[in-house]
């Protein structure tokens, strides 16, 4: 059942529970997430990036997520969220198309420009009762380090975060506290969450926090983060890696198969199993 992201996040925030936001990009990933959420009975978010919107088309994305939520989701609350929207135009199109939550990511802009852009999206979203996530700080690795680490000067500054939330009125906030996007962190030293920083941000900012770069972060760290205001954990890379691994395995195993559905069935099953495991460990 596709429902309001605000309702899902508000409830979880009050109860210090985690909601997993999975990036989905096609029928296989979308169905797998909906089926997993239903199996576990955990409220879950589909998050859609700009690249996926370009790949599938906005209307197709919304129709696909709606249909999968309806058929495979049963009664479990599922929400549709725009991930890393970088322009007002994209956020407004997503809102008009039926997203109940958008992220406006102005984190690469100077603080003042980030505030202005985010406030513009918040004002528009309010009129449509849509939730808005903003971001201050950036998940960029420091160059020339032998191990991966987010440069501390790029991490979210608690005072700036408080000011950002006050000036923009965002409903939730993406924070940079040590995690990174992408697969590299999973093959090298895992990123370390700066819990001291997170604790201060939580004291200063009274909105749900969103942890980007959630793939590969150990479960105990995510549980600890949940006690410090983190309500949403974003996971993309782990699904992507599982998708391609299962596809390569099936293509090798079924060399003479000519029906793609026979090849992709086990891929969807593998993705569903991964999402079930994530939801069982994190969202219950
Ligand atoms: O944070 C980025 C997400 O993993 C989406 O990635 O823009 O390649 O779809 P994408
Ligand atoms: P990962 O690359 O760690 O899966 O993070 C995804 C993300 O933050 C999407 O916004
Ligand atoms: Zn992200």
């Amino acid at each position: 059942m596709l429902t309001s992201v605000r309702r899902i996040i508000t409830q979880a925030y009050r109860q210090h529970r985690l909601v997993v936001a999975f990036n989905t990009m096609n029928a296989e990933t979308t169905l797998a997430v909906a089926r997993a959420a239903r199996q576990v009975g955990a409220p879950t978010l589909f998050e859609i990036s700009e690249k996926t919107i370009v790949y599938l088309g906005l209307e197709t994305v919304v129709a696909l997520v709606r249909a999968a939520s309806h058929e495979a989701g049963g009664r479990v609350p599922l929400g549709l969220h725009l991930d890393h929207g970088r322009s007002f135009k994209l956020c407004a199109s997503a809102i008009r198309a039926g997203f109940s939550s958008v992220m406006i990511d102005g984190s690469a802009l100077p603080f003042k420009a980030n505030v202005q852009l985010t406030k513009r999206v918040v004002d528009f979203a309010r009129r449509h009762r849509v939730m808005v996530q903003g971001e201050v700080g950036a998940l960029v690795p420091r160059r020339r380090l032998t191990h991966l680490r987010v440069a501390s000067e790029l991490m979210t500054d608690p005072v700036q975060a408080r000011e950002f939330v006050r000036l923009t009125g965002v409903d939730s906030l993406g924070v940079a506290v040590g995690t990174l996007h992408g697969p590299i962190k999973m093959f090298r030293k895992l990123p370390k969450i700066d819990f001291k920083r997170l604790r201060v941000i939580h004291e200063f900012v009274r909105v749900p926090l969103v942890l980007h770069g959630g793939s590969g972060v150990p479960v105990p760290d995510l549980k600890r983060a949940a006690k410090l205001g983190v309500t949403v954990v974003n996971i993309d890379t782990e699904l992507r890696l599982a998708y391609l691994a299962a596809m390569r395995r099936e293509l090798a195993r079924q060399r003479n198969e000519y029906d793609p559905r026979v090849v992709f069935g086990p891929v969807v099953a593998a993705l569903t199993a991964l999402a079930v495991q994530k939801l069982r460990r994190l969202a219950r």
Side-chain angles (χ1 to χ4, degrees), residues 23 25 49-52 83-84 181 212 236-237 240:
N23 288 75
M25 58 175 74
S49 74
E50 182 167 6
K51 277 195 215 159
T52 296
D83 190 30
H84 294 286
H181 286 124
H212 288 252
D236 184 3
T237 300
R240 291 188 195 197

Side-chain angles (χ1 to χ4, degrees), residues 235-268:
I235 294 186
D236 184 3
T237 300
E238 281 190 77
L239 274 188
R240 291 188 195 197
L241 293 174
Y243 188 112
L244 293 178
M247 197 167 110
R248 288 184 182 116
R249 185 195 63 219
E250 289 307 315
L251 287 171
R253 198 173 66 84
Q254 308 189 57
R255 276 188 185 284
N256 298 322
E257 181 54 62
Y258 77 102
D259 183 344
R261 290 165 297 192
V262 178
V263 175
F264 276 103
V267 175
V268 176

Side-chain angles (χ1 to χ4, degrees), residues 2 20-21 48 52 55 60 68-69 75 86 98-100 156 162 183 188 220 246 272 277:
L2 205 55
V20 183
I48 306 294
T52 296
Y55 175 61
T60 306
S69 306
R75 288 193 177 176
R86 292 207 162 82
F99 283 60
S100 67
T156 306
R162 176 169 60 191
R188 311 226 347 229
T272 308
Q277 187 202 62

Side-chain angles (χ1 to χ4, degrees), residues 106 109-120 136 163-164 167-168:
L109 300 171
F111 183 75
K112 215 170 147 190
N114 187 5
V115 167
Q116 275 169 359
L117 174 63
T118 304
K119 178 86 176 68
R120 190 170 169 221
V136 262
E163 196 59 359
F164 183 81
L167 292 170
T168 60

